[in-house]
Amino acid sequence: MNPNKALWEKGDFTRIAATMRESGEGLVDRIGVTEGLKVLDLGCGDGTTAVPAARLGAEVLGVDIARNLVEAGNRRAKEAGLTNLTIQEGDATDLGELADDRFDLVVSIFGAMFAPRPFDVAREMVRVTRPGGRIVMGNWIPGDPTLVAQILKISSAYAPPPPEGFVSPMTWGVTDHVVERFAAAGVPEAKVSCAPDTFVFNTPVSPKEFLGLFRTYYGPTMNAFEAAEADGRADALLVELEELFEAQNQSTDGTRTSIPATFLRVTVDLPR
Ligand SMILES: C[S@@+](CC[C@H](N)C(=O)[O-])C[C@H]1O[C@@H](n2cnc3c(N)ncnc32)[C@H](O)[C@@H]1O
């Protein structure tokens, strides 16, 4: 099976996404989603940004590689009575059946960054966006001291080395790489802007329990624990992650966790 698909179908990202809803809504409010806008949410998961975009009246198509998340997203859309949101299975590296210039806005929040072959991803996002349209990406930043960049950094130190030729998803958090990838897709550098932004993970459980959700349901952390268990280092990994979650938590209520995490917000304004 495609390892990229297997990674995201392995766990249940809905359990993490449930802690990201407020920031998802906040982001959608800031990026100019309006009634009737044709929006593609790429790597949409169960709809953290697709659902609020549809609530604002946009015509939203969500695409995600993980079958379980597609099903979960469509369930959420149905429960919310959103007939203007459909989620289907697809791969950001090849959006084959989606027509050129189909969307006014392509959004990908911590989604397309996880696909392999980033130059193909940039080309596909540009292809399906109409001239004068916009692409907005949210990408975690390598070396950033906040939660997700650190989880991925710590986890990678316990996981087996990646296969040869592997391009780290975190490179999408580096402006020079972003500019290079969109330039190869025909977008001038002046049309690409990158700025730091923040997502807050909010959940009514302690930091330790929140880490438990990552260990049980978040593919990259599940893989790291499996590898660490195989070579007797699972306790060390747990201690490192517990320290991280405790240190990042800003809630003073011991039964809650609130952790802000910095990401790179990429905005690409396509020439007309
Ligand atoms: C960290 S989750 C983010 C989900 C959602 N955007 C959110 O903010 O809740 C990453 C998502 O990207 C999806 N994904 C990973 N690789 C993909 C690919 N090649 N094509 C489409 N989706 C992909 C995963 O299945 C997963 O839903």
Side-chain angles (χ1 to χ4, degrees), residues 66-259:
R67 187 187 32 82
N68 54 330
L69 299 177
V70 168
E71 285 167 6
N74 279 323
R75 261 197 313 275
R76 288 187 72 222
K78 195 170 173 197
E79 279 159 21
L82 294 167
T83 51
N84 53 336
L85 167 59
T86 307
I87 300 180
Q88 67 188 40
E89 234 179 280
D91 188 333
T93 62
D94 180 2
L95 295 170
E97 78 284 8
L98 298 185
D100 296 0
D101 306 341
R102 174 168 163 183
F103 299 98
D104 301 304
L105 172 67
V106 173
V107 179
S108 188
I109 305 303
F110 323 128
M113 69 169 287
F114 287 105
R117 301 194 300 284
F119 283 89
D120 290 355
V121 171
R123 192 201 57 235
E124 282 295 79
M125 288 194 290
V126 170
R127 180 181 70 75
V128 300
T129 308
R130 70 163 168 81
R134 177 174 280 191
I135 299 167
V136 176
M137 292 183 87
N139 301 330
W140 301 118
I141 303 168
D144 182 81
T146 61
L147 186 77
V148 184
Q150 288 300 311
I151 295 176
L152 294 170
K153 182 175 168 212
I154 292 168
S155 298
S156 69
Y158 288 82
E164 208 170 309
F166 174 81
V167 181
S168 166
M170 301 300 283
T171 54
W172 271 112
V174 178
T175 300
D176 285 352
H177 285 298
V178 173
V179 167
E180 185 192 14
R181 289 162 188 177
F182 283 109
V187 182
E189 179 172 356
K191 297 288 181 184
V192 179
S193 63
C194 295
D197 203 338
T198 304
F199 236 72
V200 183
F201 295 83
N202 277 318
T203 176
V205 299
S206 69
K208 220 176 220 169
E209 287 168 286
F210 186 37
L211 166 58
L213 295 183
F214 277 82
R215 184 175 182 167
T216 313
Y217 298 113
Y218 183 61
T221 315
M222 294 166 76
N223 280 351
F225 271 102
E226 273 172 27
E229 265 151 28
D231 60 12
R233 295 196 299 156
D235 288 347
L237 173 56
L238 184 62
V239 168
E240 268 200 73
L241 289 174
E242 276 179 359
E243 283 171 6
L244 172 70
F245 277 65
E246 287 293 348
Q248 297 281 326
N249 178 29
Q250 293 195 348
S251 172
T252 50
D253 174 346
T255 65
R256 300 192 66 85
T257 303
S258 179
I259 300 183

Side-chain angles (χ1 to χ4, degrees), residues 4 8-9 13 17 20-21 41-49 63-66 69 90-93 108-112 114-116 140 199 218:
N4 177 220
W8 293 99
E9 288 185 349
F13 189 75
M20 300 164 66
R21 302 300 189 213
D41 190 331
L42 194 50
C44 62
D46 70 347
T48 302
T49 43
V63 167
D64 199 281
I65 201 163
L69 299 177
D91 188 333
T93 62
S108 188
I109 305 303
F110 323 128
F114 287 105
W140 301 118
F199 236 72
Y218 183 61

